[in-house]
Amino acid sequence: MTDITLYSRAWCSWCMDAKEYLTERGYQFTEIDVGRDRDAYEEMRELSDQTYVPTLVAGDEVLANFDTDQLEAFLNKHGIKP
């Protein structure tokens, strides 16, 4: 099982969609609200080389600023299973 971290913000609709998608499919993930944690925001920025949420980190792979179709393709491409 791959460790998954989702960097998000409370008011972000794409972040809500990503959380719902992952939860409904049985993925375990750690959510970090970059709106509340400036250090986490900087960490996300370094990992993804951008400032947009949602940003998903799974192992060594990073997907930034995505919708659920892109998330599904990313998980399938990298063989990331719940």
Side-chain angles (χ1 to χ4, degrees), residues 4-78:
I4 297 173
T5 302
L6 180 67
Y7 294 90
S8 65
R9 288 185 184 245
W11 49 262
C12 167
S13 64
W14 286 338
C15 300
M16 291 177 218
D17 290 346
K19 289 185 280 189
E20 183 177 312
Y21 178 96
L22 293 167
T23 300
E24 286 179 353
R25 285 158 182 80
Y27 286 91
Q28 300 290 318
F29 60 95
T30 301
E31 180 183 6
I32 300 174
D33 185 340
V34 299
R36 299 177 137 210
D37 185 339
R38 188 66 181 173
D39 290 337
Y41 172 83
E42 293 300 329
E43 179 180 291
M44 177 198 74
R45 204 177 77 166
E46 284 184 31
L47 289 166
S48 65
D49 200 31
Q50 55 86 43
T51 60
Y52 301 106
V53 290
T55 293
L56 182 104
V57 178
D60 294 331
E61 303 298 333
V62 178
L63 176 65
N65 193 26
F66 60 88
D67 63 27
T68 52
D69 289 340
Q70 293 166 315
L71 174 57
E72 183 174 17
F74 174 85
L75 295 170
N76 289 334
K77 175 183 176 184
H78 298 290

